């Protein structure tokens, strides 16, 4: 089941390399470098050092006692990626790729960002490692995540607001790819999710797999076996694939939660795996949200980090092979979970992660008290308090 | 023999090279697209490339992005594209090449899409995000329909890879002139572009014509490329820019004179 390093980057029929010719030498160079260093002793030692001393790994697997009692079902554990430096799992990947870029002698780093978490994590890793970074961010996202824009600037990054298309993550990726095509000889593209042309989906998964490896070790210590269930949110799907991959061959039920937005029967959601169809975007063959002509659809989610019409190809593979169950949670339910976790545990989750929390609450209710369920809490919600405040006041107005 | 291959042979016999001009289907609207293509032909274009707009044109710069966006807003789709092509084809025998992105073709099914455009009168297809490694199914259908698959190469494409791309290509090979997206406004090409032309030409020999595009916008540039050995110049964004910046009444006369000036560069004195 596990596809450690799939040939030609193909997870079953998904993945591959659909890219402009100018980028072919760049991804080949990247793949060569990644294969050379991924098992290199010094590379691993240096990455371990930064993950531990700079990012704050390992992260706790916290027993959410109050939430468990409130729900009244399975024991709920939180994998606290929100406690990492920067407040999200993104730093696992940016440190890994940053160290790789250094070994490739690339000094200029570009990245895309949705909610701004990957942008911040890129800016941090680049500052720490002495690299120069520029981040593309949809204009709409710069408006709803203003604080993160300022954080990136503080950290020494240049932020390019993208006013093309839907002005969200997908357009930020388009612009980053265009920059890469233009500056291919000097620039390293530090992709933030497990998407894009091979080898990105494999590489990002590998760097994020530290999440699932720790979950496995921590639950084994707790109960001498792997968790009964894990739940993670899926946009591009990097925290989810990092959670799932080390558990694929374990006896663990796995759930990926997509953004149901205002409902998957409406036009306003980002539920790619739940309601999309196969196609080609951003260098990969995967499930997409597209119309009958093959044009990419506008997406919506209250969580900017999930607002993306594609998904990592390995998720498409895990969906079709039925190893992982993918489902959706609406904006309303995500906000509700945001409030519940904040109130009961004193932990404010990112709106992205709130989707996983909402789904896990429903799931835990149906499970016996002897079972365990792990939620990957991919990020903290400080960045979202303004959005939630606005959402609540608008919804009160609407219900009057 | 395809119309594209015939055209290159015909031009060779006249001691000419090819001028390939671009129009975006549905920009500024369907009716105008047809008149614009007629003006391109009247001005002396040897081959016309027609763009079918995609929502996420990641190889394109702002000019084609903007035209794509506008055309899509007005509802351009495959069916309307086919109508435009049929109208053009009914009045001319000029080779017509489709440029679009892989997902639009895949989403309809390669077979259905390719046979539909063939029937309408398209001779060749350019998909900038279709790498040869992923092209097996696509190529099978292209060959079944006796069409030309035109693949791209870039200044950083290795010799060995150019050979493989040439093997998969027919009609011509499309060299991307510069590192960047479409629509560059540089007045002259840098050394590396001319080196890339020479290098590609050496590998292709007489087997396949070499077209050069991306940022070709004036006769002087065009001449430098043709002199270096290219068999065709491809101009796209510069034409769209002209359409956008010219008062409606003058668009067609401007296009005709712009094309004439560029076509001249392909004729040896």
């Amino acid at each position: 089941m596990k596809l450690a390093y799939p040939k030609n980057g193909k997870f079953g029929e998904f993945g591959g390399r659909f890219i402009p010719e100018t980028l072919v030498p760049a991804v080949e160079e990247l793949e060569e470098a990644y294969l050379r260093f991924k098992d290199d002793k010094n590379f691993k030692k240096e990455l371990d050092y930064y993950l531990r001393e700079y990012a704050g790994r390992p992260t706790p697997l916290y027993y959410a006692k109050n939430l468990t009692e409130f729900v009244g079902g399975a024991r709920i554990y939180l994998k606290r990626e929100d406690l990492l430096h920067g407040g999200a799992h993104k730093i696992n990947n940016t440190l890994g790729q940053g160290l790789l870029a250094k070994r490739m002698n690339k000094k200029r780093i570009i990245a895309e960002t949705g909610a701004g978490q990957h942008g911040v994590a890129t800016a941090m890793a680049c500052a720490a490692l002495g690299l120069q970074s520029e981040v593309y961010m949809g204009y709409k996202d710069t408006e709803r995540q203003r604080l993160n824009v300022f954080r990136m600037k503080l950290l020494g990054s240049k932020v390019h607001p993208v006013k093309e298309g839907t002005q969200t993550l997908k357009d930020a990726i388009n612009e980053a790819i265009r920059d890469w095509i233009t500056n291919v000889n000097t620039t390293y593209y530090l992709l933030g999710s497990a998407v894009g042309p091979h080898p990105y989906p494999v590489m990002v998964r590998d760097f994020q797999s530290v999440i699932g490896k720790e979950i496995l070790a921590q639950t084994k210590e707790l109960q001498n076996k792997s968790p009964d269930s894990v739940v993670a949110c899926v946009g591009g799907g990097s925290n989810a694939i990092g959670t799932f991959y080390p558990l694929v061959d374990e006896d663990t039920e796995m759930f990926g939660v997509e953004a149901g937005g205002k409902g998957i029967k409406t036009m306003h959601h980002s539920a790619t795996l739940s309601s999309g169809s196969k196609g080609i975007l951003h260098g990969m063959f995967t499930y997409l949200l597209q119309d009958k002509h093959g044009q990419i659809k506008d997406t919506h989610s209250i969580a900017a980090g999930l607002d993306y019409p594609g998904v990592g190809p390995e998720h498409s593979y895990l969906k079709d092979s039925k190893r992982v169950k993918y489902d959706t949670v609406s904006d309303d339910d995500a906000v509700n979970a945001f409030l519940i976790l904040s109130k009961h545990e004193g932990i404010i989750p990112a709106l992205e992660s709130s989707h996983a929390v909402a789904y896990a609450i429903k799931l835990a209710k149906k499970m016996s008290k002897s079972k365990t369920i792990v939620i990957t809490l991919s990020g903290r919600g400080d960045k979202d308090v303004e959005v939630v405040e606005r959402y609540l006041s608008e919804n009160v107005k609407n219900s009057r | 023999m395809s119309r594209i291959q015939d055209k290159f042979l015909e031009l060779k016999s006249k001691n000419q090279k090819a001028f390939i001009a671009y129009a975006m289907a549905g920009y500024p609207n369907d009716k105008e697209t047809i008149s614009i293509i007629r003006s391109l032909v009247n001005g002396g274009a040897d081959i016309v490339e027609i763009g079918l707009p995609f929502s996420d044109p990641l190889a394109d710069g702002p000019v084609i992005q903007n035209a794509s966006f506008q055309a899509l807003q007005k509802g351009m789709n495959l069916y309307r594209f086919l109508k435009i092509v049929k109208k053009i084809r009914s009045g001319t025998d000029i080779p017509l090449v489709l440029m679009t992105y892989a997902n639009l073709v895949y989403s309809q099914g390669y077979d259905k899409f390719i046979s539909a455009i063939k029937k309408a009168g398209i001779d060749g297809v350019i998909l900038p995000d279709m790498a040869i490694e992923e092209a097996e199914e696509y190529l099978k259908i292209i060959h079944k329909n006796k069409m030309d698959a035109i693949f791209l190469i870039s200044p950083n494409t290795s010799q060995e890879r150019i050979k493989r791309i040439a093997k998969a290509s027919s009609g011509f090979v499309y060299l991307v002139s510069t590192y960047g997206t479409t629509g560059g406004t540089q007045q002259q090409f840098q050394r590396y572009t001319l080196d890339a032309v020479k290098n590609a030409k050496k590998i292709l020999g007489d087997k396949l014509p070499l077209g050069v595009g991306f940022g070709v916008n004036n006769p002087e540039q065009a001449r430098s490329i043709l002199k270096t050995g290219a068999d065709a110049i491809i101009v796209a964004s510069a034409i769209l820019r002209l359409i956008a910046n010219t008062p409606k009444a003058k668009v067609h006369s401007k296009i005709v004179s712009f094309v004439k000036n560029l076509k001249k560069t392909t004729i040896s004195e």
Side-chain angles (χ1 to χ4, degrees), chain A residues 261-330:
Chain A
K262 296 175 181 165
I264 64 168
K265 294 278 182 315
T266 71
M267 312 237 307
H268 309 285
H269 64 81
S270 308
T272 308
L273 290 163
S274 308
S275 71
S277 54
K278 295 169 194 174
I280 300 157
L281 180 70
H282 293 151
M284 59 183 166
F285 181 69
T286 190
Y287 278 96
L288 301 176
L289 290 172
Q290 56 186 329
D291 69 14
K292 63 178 181 189
H293 302 292
Q295 305 292 353
I296 306 307
K297 275 190 192 169
D298 289 0
T299 52
H300 163 83
S301 170
I302 189 164
L306 303 182
D307 201 347
Y308 179 63
V311 66
E314 194 164 2
H315 285 296
S316 295
Y317 166 74
L318 291 171
K319 173 199 153 77
D320 277 11
S321 59
K322 297 196 165 59
R323 179 59 188 94
V324 176
K325 184 175 187 303
Y326 293 89
D327 207 334
T328 64
V329 157
S330 68

Side-chain angles (χ1 to χ4, degrees), chain A residues 57 91 111 121 132 155 157 172 199 233 257 261 283 313 325 328 354:
Chain A
R57 297 213 77 91
I91 194 87
Q132 181 212 340
L155 295 161
S157 192
C233 64
V257 187
K325 184 175 187 303
T328 64
S354 300

